[in-house]
């Protein structure tokens, strides 16, 4: 909404002291032309904003000007609830609302606190996109329009139509009763029921969504943490899952556990290596996980997994063998 953008513009200029039109355009995700129109609107409304010319010029406010805010809007309040994880806000389509809310919070601080908070914020980095090994932590991209439609249906308690692309299936429309939204490791999920049966949908696979006027069939209260735990258990115990007995170098234990669904048992061998009983989603998942660890892990059982890894290693050796 333009009113929110105008307030954000005033707060940005107040907090930075002076900002150019291109800088404001980047912050507010609008065109420079829109910024100039908004500046004119602020001036017409009596906000003492003025332009400073020159190389270091930009837009500024007369000293001592104070803003009066009517409070946070709905999405900004929601954004603050997930502000502990900025990526969580992005997954649920609340990134822009979070930025706007935090500008309002910072502006409400006393001047001395504001300077201290700004300095402290520059010394904290939460969940960077790459780790120490330069592996990119790729968050799933979900169009804001889709997330917003799903979010509205969840909060309003209305039925929801989604065009969903399940794994290895052609996309098709489904009508569900939404229960809640969950984010896990930068992946968003919709918890819902369909014809009374629990369903979990990955937001990145929702191609389109439509909130319906019909009330959803769902309980008035929900314990999302418990619901997620129950569905996680169902996921781990269903499908084509396989259990593997493996020996692993302790230095690579976390790599193995990080790819497995569950660890059922663990003990140390006499040579210091660890013996674990773990489950994987399917045979292909198990083979891939063990192959990544090379000689730092050994599959002890089942035999088909040992055979598969042996055949793969033999094929690689043949490929890179010395030619005559």
């Amino acid at each position: 909404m333009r009113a929110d953008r105008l307030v954000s513009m005033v707060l940005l200029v107040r907090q930075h002291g002076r900002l150019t039109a291109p800088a404001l355009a980047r912050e507010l995700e609008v065109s420079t032309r829109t910024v100039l129109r908004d500046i004119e609107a602020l001036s017409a409304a009596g906000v003492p904003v003025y332009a400073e010319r020159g190389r270091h010029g930009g837009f500024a406010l007369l000293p001592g000007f104070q803003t009066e805010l009517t409070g946070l809007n709905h999405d900004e309040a929601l954004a603050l609830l997930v502000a502990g994880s900025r990526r969580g806000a992005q997954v649920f389509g609340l990134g822009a609302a979070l930025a706007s809310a935090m500008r309002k919070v910072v502006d409400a601080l006393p001047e001395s606190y504001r300077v201290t908070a700004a300095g402290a914020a520059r010394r904290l980095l939460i969940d960077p996109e790459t780790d120490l090994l330069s592996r990119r932590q790729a968050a799933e991209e979900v169009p804001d329009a889709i997330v917003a439609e799903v979010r509205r249906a969840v909060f309003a308690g209305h039925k929801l139509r989604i065009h969903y692309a399940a794994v290895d299936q052609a996309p098709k429309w489904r009508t569900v009763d939404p229960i809640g939204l969950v984010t896990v490791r930068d992946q968003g999920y919709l918890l819902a029921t369909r014809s009374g049966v629990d369903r979990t949908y990955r937001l990145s696979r929702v191609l389109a969504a439509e909130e319906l006027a019909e009330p959803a069939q769902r309980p008035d209260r929900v314990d999302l943490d418990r619901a997620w735990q129950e569905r996680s258990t169902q996921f781990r115990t269903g499908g084509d899952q396989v259990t593997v007995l493996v020996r692993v170098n302790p230095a690579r234990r976390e790599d193995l556990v990080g790819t497995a669904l569950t660890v059922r048992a663990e003990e140390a061998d006499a040579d210091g290596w660890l013996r674990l009983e773990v489950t994987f989603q399917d045979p292909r998942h198990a083979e891939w996980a063990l192959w990544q660890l090379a000689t730092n892990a050994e599959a002890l059982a089942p035999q088909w997994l040992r055979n598969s890894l042996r055949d793969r290693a033999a094929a690689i050796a043949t490929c890179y063998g010395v030619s005559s």
Side-chain angles (χ1 to χ4, degrees), residues 258-278:
T259 60
L261 292 179
T262 59
V263 177
R264 295 189 172 183
E266 179 175 352
E267 62 181 1
D269 274 350
D271 60 359
W273 276 41
L274 302 175
R275 186 178 295 245
L276 285 79
E277 184 179 349
V278 295

Side-chain angles (χ1 to χ4, degrees), residues 126-261:
I126 301 172
D127 283 342
E129 292 188 351
T130 58
D131 63 16
L132 288 175
L133 299 179
S134 296
R135 294 177 299 195
R136 186 175 180 82
Q137 309 297 315
E140 295 182 333
E141 296 294 331
V142 185
D144 287 347
I146 292 178
V147 179
E149 194 73 9
V150 172
R151 205 171 64 234
R152 281 194 292 268
V154 170
F155 297 147
H158 291 166
K159 286 184 178 294
L160 177 71
R161 287 186 74 234
I162 57 174
H163 195 215
Y164 191 74
V167 179
D168 299 328
Q169 295 182 26
K172 63 181 181 181
W173 285 95
R174 298 167 166 84
T175 299
V176 302
D177 296 296
I179 293 175
L181 292 165
V182 176
T183 176
V184 180
R185 296 179 183 175
D186 302 331
Q187 296 174 356
Y189 298 89
L190 166 66
L191 272 58
T193 60
R194 184 166 169 243
S195 300
V197 180
D198 288 346
R199 291 285 187 264
T200 303
Y201 300 100
R202 196 155 166 172
L203 289 181
S204 61
R205 293 179 182 150
V206 178
L207 307 181
E210 177 187 358
E211 178 191 4
L212 303 180
E214 184 181 353
Q217 301 298 313
R218 66 181 193 181
D220 293 334
R221 299 178 62 85
V222 63
D223 184 341
L224 271 187
D225 186 61
R226 180 177 178 180
W228 180 254
Q229 292 296 331
E230 291 174 349
R231 296 186 187 205
S232 297
T233 300
Q234 292 173 3
F235 177 79
R236 290 194 300 267
T237 57
D240 301 322
Q241 294 176 11
V242 296
T243 300
V244 174
L245 182 61
V246 58
R247 270 173 37 89
V248 63
N249 183 332
R252 300 299 299 276
R253 177 191 180 278
E254 294 307 314
D255 293 325
L256 174 66
V257 171
T259 60
L261 292 179

Side-chain angles (χ1 to χ4, degrees), residues 85-97:
S85 168
R86 182 172 178 96
R87 291 191 179 189
Q90 298 291 351
V91 168
F92 293 145
L94 294 168

